[in-house]
Amino acid sequence: MGGIIWVTNISKQVFAVVNPLWAWYYEGYPLPSRLILIWNEGVKNELNEVINFVKRIYNSAGARLEFETVEIPEDFEAYWNYFGEKVIERILEMEEVDEVILDMTPGRKFMSVVMFRAFGILKEKFKKIGREVAVRIIYLHLLDLTYQSEPFPKIPFSKQKMLIYPERGV
């Protein structure tokens, strides 16, 4: 069995980055084998906070955490170019990948657009090279913004909804 690669943007809202991964694990899905954390100078402090929270989740689950950080400028055009060069190409080079999760919960709107664009490109490229790799988009929808600075366990389930496209098993 290969691994699950989780790709996400670091944002000023630390729990917007951490909570989708936490919810994923809570729902019974295996923790990803590798995280790709995209950041820029404006969120350098938040990157360290995210890493610390994620380490705690993995430690409590008894899982081994592997992650890499990718610095990408916040400018849309540069972001898209670097994302293609540094993230998409990196994922395609990985040998043992069964699933790629693109978390579009955190980050600015143009970052979400890039994630959605990457979804199509990765699906197409994996198919073209004959590799069966599931590519999914995930979004943890917070229905009440008063909880946006809260960790996943403190948010009532009725106030959040995890959206996965396509759903697992499809």
Side-chain angles (χ1 to χ4, degrees):
M1 176 170 163
I4 300 171
I5 309 304
W6 186 282
V7 182
T8 193
N9 291 294
I10 302 302
S11 90
K12 287 288 188 185
Q13 297 291 327
V14 170
F15 289 114
V17 183
V18 175
N19 285 350
L21 178 67
W22 209 336
W24 173 267
Y25 181 63
Y26 178 82
E27 291 288 327
Y29 301 120
L31 284 170
S33 46
R34 174 172 290 281
L35 274 63
I36 298 176
L37 306 171
I38 302 166
W39 68 284
N40 61 55
E41 268 310 306
V43 292
K44 191 172 188 176
N45 292 334
E46 289 79 3
L47 171 64
N48 293 324
E49 286 183 59
V50 166
I51 291 169
N52 287 332
F53 271 106
V54 170
K55 282 180 180 177
R56 289 168 42 189
I57 293 169
Y58 274 71
N59 285 340
S60 70
R64 187 167 154 254
L65 172 61
E66 287 187 30
F67 69 91
E68 57 189 273
T69 62
V70 178
E71 184 177 7
I72 298 182
E74 197 171 352
D75 164 82
F76 176 76
E77 190 171 326
Y79 185 86
W80 171 246
N81 292 334
Y82 275 79
F83 195 96
E85 292 171 20
K86 294 186 175 187
V87 179
I88 292 175
E89 291 306 318
R90 173 74 180 110
I91 292 169
L92 291 169
E93 291 169 357
M94 293 178 181
E95 292 288 325
E96 297 188 24
V97 177
D98 287 332
E99 191 168 11
V100 176
I101 308 295
L102 301 166
D103 180 10
M104 61 187 283
T105 308
R108 308 222 353 242
K109 286 181 179 54
F110 74 83
M111 295 172 175
S112 296
V113 168
V114 169
M115 286 283 194
F116 207 60
R117 195 169 169 194
F119 168 80
I121 290 169
L122 282 167
K123 285 183 73 68
E124 180 182 305
K125 288 195 177 215
F126 278 127
K127 185 177 181 180
K128 190 174 185 177
I129 61 176
R131 289 178 61 192
E132 290 189 35
V133 175
V135 181
R136 301 185 201 295
I137 292 277
I138 186 170
Y139 181 77
L140 185 60
H141 185 48
L142 194 55
L143 303 170
D144 182 341
L145 295 180
T146 60
Y147 293 99
Q148 73 181 15
S149 296
E150 296 292 332
F152 172 73
K154 288 190 171 187
I155 304 170
F157 293 125
S158 63
K159 302 294 182 184
Q160 57 186 330
K161 181 172 176 65
M162 188 167 62
L163 306 168
I164 303 171
Y165 177 81
E167 291 184 26
R168 265 180 136 229
V170 175

